Each structure stands twice: as structure tokens, then as C-alpha cells.
Amino acid sequence: MEKSIYLQLLEKELIPACGCTEPMAFALAAALARKYAPGEIKEIHLKGSGLMVTGVQAVLIPNSHGRHGGFISTAMGVVAGNPDDDMEVLTKITDADLEEAEKLVKRLLDAGTFTQDLEVNVPSIYLSTNIVTDQHNATVVLQNEHNGICYIEADGKVILDSRDINPVTEALEKNHVDKSILTIPKIVEFCDTVELDQLDHIRYAMKLTKDICQDGLDNPLGMQCGRVLMQNMGKGLVAKDEFNYTLAWTIAGLDARMGGTSFTAMSNTGSGNQGIICTMAPMAAGEWRKESEEKIIRAVTLANLMNIYLDYRSNEYAHLSPECYCGGVAPAAAACGVAYLRGDNADVLNDIVRTSLGNQAGIICDGAKPSCAFRAYTGLFATLHAMLLAEQGIATGSTEGIVHDSADVTIDNIYRLQKETMSHTDEFVWKIKQEQKTIC
């Protein structure tokens, strides 16, 4: 029997990733370029879209003891990255590798042969890595997805060129299915009826997510938003209730991931943060409510599919967007998963999405960083409140701003907002980074 398109999408878009996907992408491209360019390294040149070169600057890298930036991420990939590890390319870095990587960065920067530049008029995810050695010259390009290797050239010979393929729609097109398969009622129907033994990938996502969130609760990583919230629940300063329990567990995972944890996250549409939010929120709410394992698994499945649905309607921004989807889209999807646990129907989910997206519209993505956790906390708190409103029949009206009666049209409007008014935001952020001399 042919596997359901929903299961195919979950397997395609839910990918284990170690560290934030921007440093990972820099390391992955570098590891692959190094494979085609052995010898003594003389030059490394990086060119990326604004969202990539700004996104890599501030977030901490796994196994780096607090390092951050495009130069060291690239050097770690060159020194010890295995391109076959894909989005887990940073998992095997040792302290000795890190020392060697830092020496490489210093040598090339001192020589003026390690560059990192903004490339305009390219996809929102775009990175070109060129490595020149005393023997070879290799260039690797990834675009549209953080592991979307689409071009390899070695010593003037083109080995791979698939730059014209759009991965956002590839999975749908090859199965002769258009975007109409991704609607709230159809997602709900699938999650109601899918056989539980087909959701092993979701079980795996839940395991990875619980581990990384536990790390954020146990250790002072990132901004410690989740950890501090949980501590103050214990002190009685804030209520120990379902919402705060859900928020603390979920945001702790983002603290860990943005804070350089070595634990692997299950990413969703190229974002480990979105994967954590969509998986942990329904898990935590389900645990608090003592729901059955089956119900929690189905709710996690729904939240992750809702995130894919909303991201896919963002077209070329599906895997990285000018708007902060960790603060807006993923929390809306997660709140839908929590609502599913509570027995809410597709109409309620539609209203949650509409109210949430309207509330968070226009909040920029200014790069991955520890404070992403706090922004996601703000978004998830608001979307859970939107759920309570929707359950009372209250939602943002279609006369208010860019919100429409339909969640479909509302997210389409969010896409248009980005395309028509936010498409140069990343260039502005890069300019600020240059002025502040914080590019690394």
C-alpha cells in the first residue's frame, strides 16, 4: 500500500538536526566542499542570503564551548565535518577539532583570505562556500533548505546542478498532489484515522524533543527562559498550571538549542525551534492533563502537520522567512495541537490560526540567537490564549488588519506581507551587524 502523502511530508520535513540550522548549514557546505578540495587551505569565501549570514552570527554552536559565527561554523565543518551526517554534521566535533578549527580561522583571517559576504537577489536560504587549496578549488551551493545541496563544482567541473528544483513543492508534485491536500479539516481527519503504528517517526521526534527540553530545564543554557519559569513555579511566584508547565517545558528546548546544546532536535521545515515548539507543547499539555499516549501522539502529529501546512503556503519562505515563524506560525500550530487534545474541532483550529497570525504579523527574523526563546515564549503564550478565545467563539474578525475568515487566506496574506514589504529586512539587519562590527 502506498504511504500516505501526510506521512511522506512528515518524513521529509521532520529531520534530526544538531544545533541551529544556520551553523549546521555552514558546516555542512564546508564539509562537502572540503571533500572535493583536499590539500592545504589557502582561501575560503562565503556568500549567503541575508537570512543565512545574519542567522549564523549569534546562536551558539554545539560542541564549541560557546563559540558562534559563520567563520568558526565553516571551519568546524572543514576540519571534522562528515557531509554524510547531513544535519547532524556537528555531532562528532571534539575539543581537538575545535582547536584546529580556531587556528584555521585565525590563519585565514590574518591573511585576508577568509571572507563572508551578503548575496542579494537569491532565495531566502542561500549559501555558497568556495574552498581554495594548494591543489584544488571547490564550490558548494545550498538553497531553499538548510541541507539543500544543489550545486557542486570541483576544479571547474560541474558535478551537480539542481538549482531549478523547488523542494517546497517537490514532495507534492512527485505524488501528483497539489496544496489542496493541506487544509485544516483534512489534517484533522488524517490525525483522527491514521494507524498508530505508522507514526514511529513522530515517536522518535517526541523522544528527541523531550531530551533536549530536559537539558534546557537542567542546565543554564541560552536565556534560560523555560528554566527560570519552572523555578519560579516551584517558588510560587507564578502559578503551577497547565499553561506555565507547557510553556516552561517547550521554551526550555529552545534555550538549550540556542544555547549550544549537543542534544539533537527534530526540525520541522528546516527549523529545530519550530520542531520543538510543535512537538513539546502538545506533549507537555498532554502529560499535565494525563492524556493517553495515543492521544498525545496524534496531537503532536497534528501540530507538526499544521506547521508544514502553514509554512508551505509561504511558498519560497517555507524553510526560512523574513518574519519570525518561531514566534508566530509554529506557536499557532502548537496551540492547534493542544486544542486537538482538548477535543476542539477544525473550526476552532481555524480561528486559533487566524487570531494568532494576525497578532504576530510583521515580527522580523533578525537571526538565530538565545533571545529567540523569549520571542517564542511570547508567541506561544499568546496562541494558547487565542485557543481559549476560539473555544468561546471569539476570534480576530475579517475587518481587522490582514486577517481573513479563512486561515488559508490569512497565511497567504502573511506571505504577501513578507514578499511585498519585508523582503529586504535581512539586508537591513546585515547592515546593522556591519555598523556594530559584530560579524564573525
Side-chain angles (χ1 to χ4, degrees), residues 181-388:
I181 193 73
L182 289 170
T183 67
I184 295 175
K186 289 179 180 178
I187 290 171
V188 171
E189 180 184 8
F190 170 77
C191 293
D192 283 344
T193 58
V194 61
E195 295 291 335
L196 211 61
D197 61 7
Q198 297 187 64
L199 298 177
D200 286 345
H201 195 55
I202 293 296
R203 293 178 189 271
Y204 183 45
M206 291 167 64
K207 181 187 182 305
L208 292 180
T209 303
K210 188 67 176 284
D211 288 346
I212 197 172
C213 292
Q214 186 71 64
D215 191 36
L217 289 175
D218 290 344
N219 298 292
L221 296 167
M223 277 195 72
Q224 303 182 61
C225 298
R227 189 167 186 252
V228 169
L229 178 58
M230 188 69 83
Q231 288 172 344
N232 283 286
M233 287 166 61
K235 295 175 182 177
L237 185 61
V238 294
K240 188 175 183 179
D241 57 23
E242 180 182 338
F243 271 26
N244 280 330
Y245 182 82
T246 299
L247 287 162
W249 264 103
T250 304
I251 302 308
L254 275 66
D255 287 323
R257 185 167 175 270
M258 298 290 96
T261 182
S262 59
F263 281 85
T264 295
M266 181 65 85
S267 67
N268 183 312
T269 52
S271 168
N273 283 358
Q274 291 183 51
I276 291 168
I277 294 166
C278 293
T279 299
M280 193 66 238
M283 277 180 67
E287 289 172 2
W288 179 272
R289 298 171 64 84
K290 295 181 172 54
E291 299 286 1
S292 68
E293 180 187 33
E294 176 178 345
K295 197 165 185 179
I296 293 172
I297 291 171
R298 292 184 185 278
V300 170
T301 303
L302 180 130
N304 278 283
L305 280 172
M306 286 291 295
N307 196 69
I308 294 170
Y309 144 67
L310 293 171
D311 280 6
Y312 269 35
R313 292 195 78 96
S314 298
N315 301 307
E316 69 266 29
Y317 299 138
H319 294 91
L320 193 60
S321 55
E323 181 171 312
C324 175
Y325 277 15
C326 299
V329 169
C336 287
V338 176
Y340 182 84
L341 280 174
R342 295 162 64 88
D344 294 332
N345 61 28
D347 290 338
V348 172
L349 305 192
N350 182 78
D351 286 349
I352 292 170
V353 170
R354 293 169 51 245
T355 298
S356 299
L357 295 184
N359 184 55
Q360 299 293 105
I363 298 176
I364 67 167
C365 173
D366 54 348
K369 54 203 173 301
S371 59
C372 288
F374 192 55
R375 187 175 290 175
Y377 165 84
T378 306
L380 184 56
F381 178 86
T383 57
L384 290 172
H385 197 139
M387 176 187 72
L388 299 181

Side-chain angles (χ1 to χ4, degrees), residues 3 24 37 44 52 67 81 94 105 118 179 189 277 283 292 328 351 375 414-415 427:
K3 186 176 292 186
M24 178 283 304
I44 301 178
M52 289 294 287
R67 274 72 167 181
T94 66
V105 171
L118 172 71
K179 284 185 181 178
E189 180 184 8
I277 294 166
M283 277 180 67
S292 68
D351 286 349
R375 187 175 290 175
I414 293 291
Y415 164 70
E427 297 169 31

Side-chain angles (χ1 to χ4, degrees), residues 57 430-440:
Q57 297 301 313
W430 181 251
K431 181 179 179 181
I432 295 295
K433 300 293 287 184
Q434 289 178 311
E435 292 171 356
Q436 295 178 170
K437 295 181 169 57
T438 56
I439 295 172
C440 56

Side-chain angles (χ1 to χ4, degrees), residues 45-173:
H45 302 291
L46 310 171
K47 293 182 180 180
S49 62
L51 287 171
M52 289 294 287
V53 293
T54 60
V56 76
Q57 297 301 313
V59 65
L60 304 190
I61 307 166
N63 300 313
S64 75
H65 303 292
R67 274 72 167 181
H68 55 92
F71 293 129
I72 189 64
S73 299
T74 298
M76 290 168 71
V78 166
V79 168
N82 181 350
D84 293 336
D85 289 336
D86 196 45
M87 294 177 77
E88 295 182 278
V89 67
L90 292 167
T91 56
K92 300 171 185 175
I93 303 294
T94 66
D95 286 353
D97 296 330
L98 181 61
E99 183 178 354
E100 187 178 347
E102 289 197 309
K103 288 179 181 177
L104 176 62
V105 171
K106 185 178 187 308
R107 176 169 67 82
L108 295 183
L109 286 178
D110 287 348
T113 58
F114 203 161
T115 63
Q116 185 176 180
D117 295 307
L118 172 71
E119 186 85 351
V120 298
N121 300 319
V122 291
S124 59
I125 297 179
Y126 176 89
L127 177 65
S128 170
T129 300
N130 171 239
I131 295 179
V132 180
T133 73
D134 58 350
Q135 303 173 37
H136 299 281
N137 187 322
T139 298
V140 168
V141 175
L142 59 81
Q143 68 181 30
N144 294 318
E145 296 177 294
H146 287 87
N147 62 343
I149 303 295
C150 61
Y151 183 82
I152 303 172
E153 179 184 317
D155 298 324
K157 179 181 179 181
V158 176
I159 297 168
L160 170 71
D161 190 355
S162 58
R163 287 172 291 183
D164 292 335
I165 295 175
N166 182 352
V168 175
T169 56
E170 181 186 7
L172 299 176
E173 290 175 349

